[in-house]
Amino acid sequence: MNDNQIAYLCSQYPAISHTFIYREIESLRKGGMKVHTASIRKPSGLEVMTPAEQQEATSTLFVLSQPPLKILKAHLHSLTHNPSGYMKMAGAALKLITSGPKSPVKAVAYFIEAGILLQWVHDHGITHIHEHFGNPTALVAMLMKQYGGISFSLSIHGPDIFYTVDSSMLPEKVREASFVRCISHYCRSQIMRISSPAAWDNFHIIRCGVDPDLYTVRPEPENHHPELLCVGRLVPAKGQHILLEACSKLHKEGVDFHLTMVGDGPDRTSLEEYARSNSLETIVTFTGALGQDKVRSVYDRADLFILASFAEGVPVVLMEAMAKEIPVISTRITGIPELIDHEKDGLLAVPGDPEDLAFQIRRMLENSALRTQLAKAGRQKVIASYNQHNNNHGLLNLFRKELQQ
């Protein structure tokens, strides 16, 4: 057994909307930790990811892609390796029929997935699993812990998981985890809310981050029209409809700009229809999903970055933009005010209010000195508190402490 190795377990890895997990794993590897990766499902959009992410996929275990015979052999291995542990895991899976997901189908699926993963971790000598988001893959890790010889930890981002603490069994996941990494004070407070005060010392704030040496200061753009940029999945939580409403208001007032929206998702059709019906089709461009290498070139052309979210953890895209000295505007929700101090290193708008968002955009567009001041302060904020490699030292120390027990 290698006492300096762990596994990362994700619902989908690598994922185009969660490239920060890939970068976090790479940072841990550079710090001396051997990290194996497993994904419940095969990733979508792999063709637009970077070559490095595509290579990462070739060494990742895709649990649900295993053939039936291999699944059967994995469960026979787990049964013969530890019969009592296997039965204990089966009993824990049965409880999921009446608690948490309350679904016989999901209970069976999580049990099958746990059996596949058990043989994989045994083959590699892995004893600790880390899971991001606290989603159903954490239930699979809980089942593996019931089997014995496996511990797990969580990275909690929020906020969606905080709305379904009972059905997601978040209190149970937190209680069973060796430790919980929280990405913000807001996140930690929500975990504290559902936990005993005696457990609070087990919740550690380790922020996500970016590499300032990769996301370097972009040259000052020389655009004919001020270039606004929004990067993110096109989903209700991102508030892109509010952004388009704000842009419609500014356009009617004669404000000159162009908006690029990078990303894809279920809201794309309605967003494109809104742009057409409000005469924005010539000033709003939808690029679809782009790989990280192409996204960085889009950042280089941006005069202003905007994220009008309703619900977020602490968006890594904001850190990326700030690291490149792009002035940013976002909303006063969840952990975002921990990243952006209003009027010091960015601007914050009232969530769900297109009038206030338009006001903040106009402020930024009309004041080049303010843009420069906030952009420079934003990069310094990232360097000081959201440097991926510095922050990952804390995560490395937690993993090493766990592996020594």
Side-chain angles (χ1 to χ4, degrees):
M1 180 182 69
N2 187 333
D3 61 0
N4 202 39
Q5 68 172 347
I6 59 171
Y8 262 53
L9 174 62
C10 302
S11 296
Q12 186 178 126
Y13 177 83
I16 197 163
S17 59
H18 295 141
T19 55
F20 67 89
I21 297 179
Y22 167 73
R23 296 199 300 253
E24 177 177 292
I25 290 171
E26 282 298 287
S27 180
L28 293 171
R29 287 168 175 161
K30 289 179 181 177
M33 181 66 64
K34 186 173 183 179
V35 183
H36 302 268
T37 54
S39 174
I40 299 300
R41 297 183 300 277
K42 276 189 173 180
S44 58
L46 192 61
E47 67 280 357
V48 301
M49 296 185 200
T50 64
E53 289 170 302
Q54 293 174 5
Q55 181 62 36
E56 178 78 354
T58 65
S59 59
T60 296
L61 172 72
F62 299 124
V63 176
L64 293 182
S65 297
Q66 302 304 303
L69 183 58
K70 197 165 185 178
I71 294 173
L72 178 61
K73 287 181 176 178
H75 274 265
L76 287 173
H77 161 86
S78 300
L79 175 61
T80 56
H81 186 78
N82 181 3
S84 62
Y86 188 84
M87 297 310 295
K88 189 176 180 181
M89 183 174 74
L94 285 173
K95 292 179 181 178
L96 299 179
I97 297 174
T98 56
S99 62
K102 296 182 179 180
S103 166
V105 173
K106 290 182 178 179
V108 171
Y110 299 155
F111 177 72
I112 291 172
E113 291 162 9
I116 297 169
L117 283 160
L118 279 169
Q119 182 174 37
W120 179 71
V121 297
H122 291 160
D123 288 346
H124 290 283
I126 299 164
T127 60
H128 185 78
I129 292 173
H130 189 69
E131 192 272 345
H132 264 275
F133 303 116
N135 61 23
T137 51
L139 290 176
V140 177
M142 282 178 61
L143 293 179
M144 295 172 71
K145 181 181 178 181
Q146 289 296 313
Y147 178 88
I150 302 294
S151 62
F152 75 94
S153 53
L154 302 170
S155 279
I156 301 295
H157 299 249
D160 291 356
I161 193 76
F162 304 141
Y163 308 148
T164 59
V165 294
D166 294 329
S167 60
S168 67
M169 298 181 68
L170 185 59
E172 292 85 349
K173 293 171 183 174
V174 168
R175 186 175 61 245
E176 292 295 323
S178 298
F179 66 85
V180 179
R181 175 269 192 101
C182 306
I183 67 160
S184 66
H185 286 282
Y186 168 79
C187 175
R188 186 171 187 266
S189 74
Q190 298 308 295
I191 299 298
M192 294 166 73
R193 179 176 63 88
I194 61 169
S195 307
S196 165
W200 289 356
D201 287 344
N202 209 32
F203 310 151
H204 306 272
I205 297 174
I206 300 176
R207 296 178 173 90
C208 293
V210 298
D211 183 351
D213 294 329
L214 179 62
Y215 288 87
T216 55
V217 178
R218 56 120 170 70
E220 189 65 27
E222 297 181 357
N223 298 310
H224 293 299
H225 309 280
E227 180 66 32
L228 314 186
L229 176 63
C230 177
V231 178
R233 291 191 67 230
L234 304 184
V235 293
K238 299 292 184 181
Q240 285 112 340
H241 276 282
I242 295 296
L243 175 55
L244 287 188
E245 286 187 45
C247 287
S248 178
K249 174 179 170 58
L250 292 170
H251 182 53
K252 290 173 183 176
E253 294 172 355
V255 178
D256 182 36
F257 67 90
H258 177 269
L259 170 66
T260 298
M261 302 189 76
V262 176
D264 214 336
D267 276 8
R268 180 165 181 173
T269 300
S270 60
L271 288 165
E272 290 178 331
E273 175 56 34
Y274 183 92
R276 283 191 297 270
S277 61
N278 287 272
S279 303
L280 298 175
E281 62 266 42
T282 61
I283 59 171
V284 178
T285 299
F286 295 87
T287 69
L290 298 178
Q292 277 299 294
D293 47 355
K294 294 182 179 179
V295 171
R296 285 196 293 274
S297 67
V298 177
Y299 279 132
D300 288 340
R301 299 193 297 271
D303 292 288
L304 180 59
F305 186 91
I306 307 166
L307 200 63
S309 298
F310 301 146
E312 289 277 6
V314 182
V316 174
V317 289
L318 283 173
M319 303 173 203
E320 292 171 351
M322 292 166 74
K324 293 187 76 65
E325 282 196 6
I326 304 170
V328 298
I329 299 174
S330 194
T331 46
R332 294 184 182 90
I333 60 164
T334 57
I336 290 178
E338 296 178 38
L339 172 64
I340 300 173
D341 194 347
H342 183 57
E343 297 184 338
K344 291 187 178 179
D345 36 45
L347 296 181
L348 294 174
V350 175
D353 186 345
E355 297 280 338
D356 188 52
L357 182 60
F359 170 72
Q360 302 299 343
I361 295 172
R362 188 162 195 156
R363 280 183 71 188
M364 201 79 92
L365 290 177
E366 293 179 347
N367 191 334
S368 61
L370 178 64
R371 292 198 303 273
T372 299
Q373 171 196 331
L374 297 180
K376 290 185 178 299
R379 177 168 171 82
Q380 292 309 307
K381 180 70 159 288
V382 169
I383 290 172
S385 300
Y386 294 88
N387 183 312
Q388 151 190 321
H389 300 301
N390 292 347
N391 294 353
N392 280 343
H393 285 313
L395 197 53
L396 268 173
N397 290 337
L398 289 173
F399 287 139
R400 286 172 175 153
K401 182 179 178 182
E402 174 62 24
L403 292 172
Q404 289 168 2
Q405 294 184 12

